[in-house]
Amino acid sequence: MKITKYDFYKSFMLFLLIITSLCYEIHLFKYYSIIQIIVSFLLILLMMISFKLDKGIKIKLGISSQKFIFFIIILRVFNTMMGYLLFGYNTPIDVISSLIMALTTISLFYVIPEILNKDESIENGFIKTYVIICIILSIFSILIKVGNGHFFIWNYVYVTRDASIYYDPNFCAMILGSGVSIALLQKFKNKFLKYFAIIIMLFAILFTGSRGTLLSLLSAILIYLVVYSKLSIPKKVIIISMFGIATYYGINYLYSIDFFRTYQGSNDRFEMWSKILSSSLESPVFGYGYGATDEVLKTINFTYASTHNSFLDFLLIYGIPTFVIYIIFIISTLLKSLKKDSNRKYVLPIIFMLINSNTILYSFGGVGLSSLMFTVILGLLNYSIVNMQQKKIG
């Protein structure tokens, strides 16, 4: 039996999602750096193979009307080099890592969307595999919750905050939140599977106790219903009213069981963010470079490994000019995507991820599962924009 390139792509995407979904597993997390290297190698390998199998991908990469994204990629590498030379908060390894990340960004943002659009079955398989991974994580979450933090080889200190098989409840929640936002607008032949997936993922998110993810998901759904959905105004009013009532009682209930942990406040995040903004102004043009975040935080007396805010993290390590270009790119991509109906299924996930980015780290071009999905979905929206522009020119 002859294996086609489409079979290869489907198998590759499946393996890629499985291995990235294991990055945060509690027993494998100590090998996170090794898994990152493996995933990065796979993405670069995929790019090279796709250039060989589909020369059109290589050609289109050179004529893309969204070339300014390359400025972001180049500036991130350049600013990392400058940060190392000027401040020394990062290392030569971080400079090399920024070069590798430049290649993974191209693979995730350009190459994979091109591949997914080669055949509908590849795209559907990719998206549904992600949803299935989220269902499996949710099932484990329930089993661990029933076992009071214990199930098989997974034993946790997070008895009140479930993390499924992962080491961190917030990472688990961000992955499941993306799963819900994706599943809501995807077409499933089996409607039962779709709604089962959404319900079980919502329960698992509640088990994580992640305030940021839950509020981000509720906000994203409300924004989508109000601004982007094509429902008639009467239907919008009814659905939004029902959504508002359910949200009100749901949040009140969660407050009653101390889900929002008001006693913790912001966990010093607002104070940290204020000092990060001040630190960013000390190196406004180049930033401090990839890999410098934890060292910069130490200088302002915080022991966190990240800023817990994707935008502030980007600003801190890459500087104001690169940050402004990045924000313009995201806003432009989102607004232009609304001109095509087929893009709407990816608008909600991006809105969710952008809101959630204010409480946890998504890295554009990163190889963690959430960062991977963030970059690929932006790439899918960009692919559609480029195609529309090329059709107009043609």
Side-chain angles (χ1 to χ4, degrees), residues 71-193:
F71 285 110
I72 296 176
I73 295 172
I74 292 169
L75 283 172
R76 290 195 305 179
V77 176
F78 178 74
N79 290 355
T80 299
M81 293 174 65
M82 292 301 297
Y84 169 68
L85 294 173
L86 295 174
F87 302 102
Y89 285 133
N90 46 20
T91 66
I93 297 297
D94 292 316
V95 177
I96 295 171
S97 296
S98 72
L99 287 167
I100 294 172
M101 194 173 185
L103 295 175
T104 61
T105 303
I106 294 171
S107 184
L108 289 168
F109 184 76
Y110 279 109
V111 176
I112 289 183
E114 286 282 348
I115 290 171
L116 295 181
N117 278 279
K118 287 289 179 184
D119 189 271
E120 188 177 3
S121 65
I122 302 177
E123 182 180 351
N124 289 339
F126 180 80
I127 295 300
K128 287 177 181 177
T129 297
Y130 182 81
V131 173
I132 290 170
I133 287 172
C134 290
I135 293 173
I136 294 170
L137 289 173
S138 300
I139 291 171
F140 272 99
S141 180
I142 292 171
L143 292 172
I144 291 167
K145 188 70 175 179
V146 170
N148 197 29
H150 307 281
F151 176 71
F152 195 40
I153 61 172
W154 294 282
N155 299 287
Y156 296 96
V157 294
Y158 294 109
V159 176
T160 57
R161 297 189 62 197
D162 191 83
S164 187
I165 65 171
Y166 293 153
Y167 87 101
D168 190 308
N170 293 315
F171 282 171
C172 179
M174 72 191 290
I175 290 168
L176 297 178
S178 297
V180 173
S181 64
I182 287 170
L184 276 169
L185 297 178
Q186 289 293 322
K187 293 181 180 179
F188 283 72
K189 290 181 180 179
N190 189 328
K191 293 291 184 181
F192 172 80
L193 177 61

